[in-house]
Amino acid sequence: MTRKLSISLPDDVAKVLDDVDNASAYIAEAIVMRRERGTVAAMLKRHGHVVTAEGVAAWRERLAEMDRRKAARRAEVEK
Amino acid sequence: VIRVILDASAIASYAAREPDSMSVSELIAQVAETNDAVGVPALAFIAAFQASSPEAREVLEDFVSSAPQSIKLLALQGEDTPTVASMCDDLAADKVHALIESSRYDAYVASYDVSPMARFAHEDDLIQLK
């Protein structure tokens, strides 16, 4: 079941859709991702956890660095 | 994509809201931010549950049921059971299961005590929580 909607987007945001094959699927995926983040945030709050933007950013950097090290290690093995 | 696997120490700390458990909650939030998932091995969940207070157990039940896209409860697969059993002399079952799922999903293992796992995994695949 789907619904046809007419929505308005800022020009710079709408421009992103110019380069995707299926704009509806792209927007639907973005909404699902946003909703899931909201679900997780609500769960963390319900469980009494305070999440800071700084803490999340620190994890983003740490995981990105771990990904880089892992990729480098694999590239070394493949040589 | 399952990015990070939690062992019992991480799960129990989260459920008990220990002072340092913010590290776990912020890790979960970061993983959800990229639309990825955190894996909770069944054996780690059981070990954490057994070590938790009644209040923390309620948190655990909610934890594995309220955000199924982001928090994935991972069953122990039948073919992995002999491996877990054979490794349990050297490593707690929750950590063995975490390592097996880490290998399956190419994910990191997060724990408050990674040192027992160092013999069985590359250090870069282990996240020491603080």
Side-chain angles (χ1 to χ4, degrees), chain B residues 26-88:
Chain B
E26 288 176 335
L27 174 59
I28 292 168
Q30 202 292 315
V31 170
E33 184 180 85
T34 53
N35 208 31
D36 291 324
V38 169
V40 177
L43 296 187
F45 181 82
I46 292 168
F49 195 88
Q50 287 179 324
S52 295
S53 67
E55 185 188 24
R57 289 180 174 192
E58 287 183 15
V59 170
L60 285 176
E61 288 172 2
D62 192 53
F63 179 61
V64 290
S65 61
S66 47
Q69 299 297 317
S70 301
I71 312 292
K72 302 271 190 194
L73 187 55
L74 305 171
L76 176 63
Q77 298 198 3
E79 67 264 27
D80 293 330
T81 306
T83 305
V84 173
S86 67
M87 289 176 69
C88 276

